[in-house]
Amino acid sequence: MTGLNKWLRLIILFLVCFTIASYSWFLLGGAKKEYTITPKNSTYSIIDDSSQNGATTTTLNINNRNVLLECNLVNKAKWPFCEIAVALTDSIDAGFDLSSYDSVGLDIDYASPLEGERIRIYLRNFDPMYSNINDPLSLKFNAIEYTPGVNEGLKIFPLNSFQVLSWWIAENNIPIIEIATGSYVKESYYAIKLNRLVFYGTWICESSLVKLLLLLWVATATIVILVDRFILSEKIKTSEERSQRLRDANRVLYNKSLKFEHLACTDSLTRIRNRHTVIEWLEGIVLQTQLNKIPFSMIFIDLDHFKAVNDRYGHSFGDEVLVKFAATVEGLTRRSDVFVRWGGEEFVIFCPETNMSVAVEIAEQIRETIMTKTWGFNQEFSLTCSLGVAELVDESCEDLIRRADFALLKAKKMGRNRIEISWEHQQLK
């Protein structure tokens, strides 16, 4: 998690810096934009009362600094007027989108015979529901009136101050802007000089910026959580795989430790394993058993009065008894048990994955079988054995063997042909 925490701190630091920088940029006006109407991006024309049989005469002078409309209004038409029409686009049905603008700046000098006379500013909307391309009057009028004066500079008006409807401006395109003489004019000379016309807006509003920043934080947090969950899942998966491999390796090692090379490890007389070949195996199996917390027991066996058998019948007969005894006991052991001739008439059975109670059952089966078996010798012969059983605790293999041997000696002292159990490690003391 250290690497992820480091990246998480860097991500949070970046988000904090980015949020502060973005909001500061907005507060300092970085999001503001403006669109200035000039002869390069628009077309200027004259509209007057000639369409109403009026006699007004007009001239339009366009240069790089301003647009000057001069007109002599003649009181012939019902409503004499003159105006500058500014076409923002080439087609009347495809206007200029003002949805991201909130105000318009006007710098107009107005010369009229009446002091304080107003002029009219129209923003014309085209709507296919009722507007006709061939009829300019079918375009919606959205207007303000104000007194511009002369050399009074730029005046800024909110777009929502235009009538008829403020929402009409925000959601429809504007193909034409008209600057016209006032509502009440008289027959005289009028001049409208358009020095500057500019729309003001923002690339993004404050609420949208805050929403975007919040969305960025939420998206980043979601991604970090998902990445963290993925990394954690991969670590858990890797850890489980590693643990499984370790368990498999331990099991393989444990199983391999139970397999002996039979011919290399057998006693020459009885053809079972001998003591010297199991010492190294025993140390390893005891360690693996304790690490894996698997029960492990051993049975120490000694033939009763075997010296008397040798003295009475001879060593050759004694050897034959040992061979038949080993074969009989081996037939009673399980595949997982390790049967060893420990020396002379002493034998040991190591019982992996076996607790005390099961080991005692095996020992009793062996004792009963040996006692009741018919051996098939020419002379009458019977045999018994004594057994000592011990289960591995927190001890070395030498301590386990000593405890089993101690139990065997106790069985002999108690009359032979019996089983004794070593329950406590403290019996060695």
Side-chain angles (χ1 to χ4, degrees):
M1 292 295 291
T2 304
L4 181 60
N5 288 337
K6 178 181 177 182
W7 279 106
L8 183 58
R9 289 193 296 268
L10 291 176
I11 290 172
I12 292 175
L13 178 61
F14 168 77
L15 287 175
V16 170
C17 293
F18 182 80
T19 300
I20 294 174
S22 299
Y23 204 69
S24 299
W25 167 79
F26 181 84
L27 293 178
L28 294 174
K32 292 183 177 181
K33 64 176 181 177
E34 60 181 56
Y35 182 77
T36 302
I37 306 301
T38 67
K40 293 182 179 180
N41 57 27
S42 56
T43 304
Y44 297 85
S45 61
I46 299 171
I47 300 177
D48 56 27
D49 56 17
S50 57
S51 61
Q52 304 173 14
N53 296 320
T56 297
T57 59
T58 58
T59 60
L60 185 65
N61 181 26
I62 302 173
N63 56 53
N64 294 330
R65 292 179 300 175
N66 52 52
V67 176
L68 177 62
L69 171 65
E70 295 179 293
C71 56
N72 289 296
L73 295 183
V74 177
N75 195 12
K76 180 181 179 182
K78 184 177 180 179
W79 302 103
F81 73 96
C82 64
E83 63 181 46
I84 303 173
V86 184
L88 303 181
T89 58
D90 294 333
S91 177
I92 196 172
D93 60 346
F96 181 71
D97 186 8
L98 293 180
S99 59
S100 60
Y101 295 87
D102 53 41
S103 59
V104 58
L106 299 169
D107 182 3
I108 298 175
D109 295 335
Y110 183 45
S112 75
L114 300 175
E115 185 177 354
E117 185 179 355
R118 295 184 170 192
I119 63 170
R120 293 168 292 174
I121 310 297
Y122 300 121
L123 300 181
R124 305 287 300 278
N125 289 99
F126 180 90
D127 191 317
M129 294 293 293
Y130 51 79
S131 300
N132 187 338
I133 295 178
N134 300 318
D135 181 11
L137 293 178
S138 66
L139 273 67
K140 190 72 174 182
F141 284 79
N142 303 276
I144 61 169
E145 292 188 8
Y146 84 104
T147 303
V150 178
N151 296 326
E152 293 191 6
L154 190 70
K155 294 183 180 180
I156 299 176
F157 302 91
L159 288 180
N160 60 13
S161 65
F162 281 73
Q163 302 298 324
V164 179
L165 293 174
S166 60
W167 59 263
W168 196 278
I169 302 299
E171 300 197 6
N172 291 271
N173 292 331
I174 305 298
I176 298 175
I177 301 173
E178 296 176 356
I179 305 170
T181 53
S183 302
Y184 304 101
V185 294
K186 65 179 182 177
E187 189 173 278
S188 181
Y189 168 81
Y190 287 81
I192 300 175
K193 181 191 289 186
L194 177 60
N195 298 309
R196 191 181 182 196
L197 187 141
V198 57
F199 289 100
Y200 297 101
T202 56
W203 295 105
I204 183 172
C205 65
E206 185 175 9
S207 61
S208 297
L209 177 62
V210 172
K211 290 178 182 177
L212 285 176
L213 292 175
L214 180 60
L215 180 62
L216 178 62
W217 277 89
V218 172
T220 303
T222 303
I223 293 173
V224 169
I225 291 173
L226 292 177
V227 170
D228 181 45
R229 296 278 295 180
F230 176 77
I231 293 175
L232 181 60
S233 175
E234 288 298 309
K235 286 186 177 181
I236 292 175
K237 181 179 178 181
T238 302
S239 178
E240 290 177 348
E241 290 176 350
R242 187 183 296 115
S243 298
Q244 185 60 46
R245 287 197 299 269
L246 181 60
R247 286 193 294 269
D248 293 342
N250 286 338
R251 179 60 61 184
V252 169
L253 179 62
Y254 183 75
N255 290 334
K256 284 184 177 180
S257 67
L258 300 178
K259 297 179 181 178
F260 285 88
E261 294 291 340
H262 182 71
L263 295 177
C265 304
T266 55
D267 175 63
S268 59
L269 176 64
T270 60
R271 310 307 298 174
I272 64 173
R273 298 171 182 84
N274 60 56
R275 175 177 182 173
H276 302 292
T277 58
V278 298
I279 296 299
E280 183 178 352
W281 167 84
L282 183 59
E283 293 175 350
I285 199 68
V286 166
L287 178 61
Q288 290 297 320
T289 296
Q290 291 172 334
L291 287 176
N292 291 279
K293 297 181 178 180
I294 301 172
F296 183 87
S297 299
M298 70 170 290
I299 305 171
F300 219 137
I301 310 173
D302 184 77
L303 276 64
D304 295 335
H305 305 295
F306 187 72
K307 184 177 183 301
V309 173
N310 281 332
D311 292 342
R312 181 176 179 181
Y313 301 105
H315 288 282
S316 296
F317 181 82
D319 289 345
E320 193 173 349
V321 171
L322 290 175
V323 171
K324 288 191 174 185
F325 173 83
T328 301
V329 174
E330 188 171 32
L332 298 174
T333 59
R334 305 166 302 178
R335 293 187 62 182
S336 60
D337 296 333
V338 177
F339 183 37
V340 182
R341 184 183 182 189
W342 205 249
E345 67 274 20
E346 292 183 333
F347 296 83
V348 172
I349 303 175
F350 295 106
C351 305
E353 301 185 21
T354 305
N355 57 28
M356 175 68 81
S357 61
V358 176
V360 170
E361 291 177 1
I362 296 172
E364 177 58 27
Q365 184 183 19
I366 293 172
R367 188 197 68 78
E368 180 72 22
T369 299
I370 297 302
M371 182 182 69
T372 59
K373 181 177 176 62
T374 300
W375 295 97
F377 294 116
N378 293 330
Q379 60 269 48
E380 185 178 344
F381 178 77
S382 63
L383 185 66
T384 61
C385 62
S386 301
L387 304 94
V389 182
E391 182 179 357
L392 180 68
V393 291
D394 187 14
E395 60 186 334
S396 66
C397 60
E398 290 84 2
D399 290 339
L400 174 65
I401 294 171
R402 279 195 291 270
R403 288 200 297 115
D405 188 35
F406 182 88
L408 174 62
L409 292 175
K410 184 177 179 182
K412 286 182 171 293
K413 290 179 182 179
M414 297 296 291
R416 293 183 171 84
N417 190 26
R418 61 186 289 123
I419 300 169
E420 290 294 332
I421 299 171
S422 176
W423 288 104
E424 301 293 339
H425 190 192
Q426 285 75 11
Q427 286 179 305
L428 294 174
K429 299 182 180 180

